[in-house]
Amino acid sequence: MSTPEELTRLAIHLYDAGAVKLGDIEAKTGSRTPIYFDLRLVVSHPTLMLAVATHLQCLASKIHHDLLCGVPYAALPFTAVMSVNSNTPMIMKRKEAKMYASKKILEGVYQENAICLIVDDVISSGESLLETVETLRAEKITVKHCIIVLDREQGGAAALKAIGVEVKALFTMTDLIRILRDAHRINDDTVEIISDYIKVNQY
Ligand SMILES: O=C(O)c1cc(=O)[nH]c(=O)n1[C@@H]1O[C@H](COP(=O)(O)O)[C@@H](O)[C@H]1O
């Protein structure tokens, strides 16, 4: 089980590495956000990569699963680290089906009715996770849980719950901004701007 102190250290480490971008940033949907959590840079920081994978593994260890599925691109490296460290097979969902050879949308080997735990970086609307669940279920893979690093608390987890998938996160946006404020990385004004934004921008 990750302790609150360990998660606090991880959040500060991620911030100090540049994973938390503040300002007026374009999100996936095209809307603007005052905070963007970018886990893609974790590949350049091996100790951070191991820390993210280890803490996600703590969440994973409480959930029964036969397989891990990494969602491209941000989650693929740390899902691979989890797979190796826990000796759990992994599959990968392609962004688009291959247009040649196998024409597959899923890479890797799996059995029908295998229980798959999806690993992703961030949930906002839940759209990308919903799509992944749909793809896996179409291949007769069972999906009941996703684990992620950050829940932006914009309604995505409820959308997943509505299709029978529970989302567990290392951090909610509320946790993240509280930790960063307490560690003097962001000030009260920034916390207020982000909190107001999240309240108003629900999917
Ligand atoms: O665009 C986003 O909403 C987003 C916000 C953020 O802070 N960090 C972030 O990585 N994202 C991207 O948005 C995806 C999740 O958005 P939803 O599909 O709306 O849940 C993530 O997998 C990222 O590609």
Side-chain angles (χ1 to χ4, degrees), residues 50-101:
L50 184 58
V52 170
T54 303
H55 289 293
L56 284 173
Q57 189 57 47
C58 286
L59 291 182
S61 65
K62 294 191 202 73
I63 300 166
H64 175 63
H65 59 284
D66 309 313
L67 277 179
L68 293 169
C69 177
V71 183
Y73 290 102
L76 288 181
F78 46 81
T79 311
V81 174
M82 291 170 67
S83 167
V84 170
N85 286 348
S86 63
N87 194 24
T88 306
M90 171 180 169
I91 54 174
M92 297 187 292
K93 181 189 155 286
R94 302 179 66 90
K95 270 200 178 286
E96 277 142 31
K98 219 155 114 173
M99 300 307 283
Y100 54 95

Side-chain angles (χ1 to χ4, degrees), residues 27-28 35-37 40 120-128 152:
K28 205 183 88 181
I35 183 165
Y36 192 90
F37 192 59
R40 288 159 197 85
D120 206 354
D121 57 348
V122 175
I123 188 168
S124 300
S125 67
E127 188 191 286
S128 73
R152 291 179 49 105

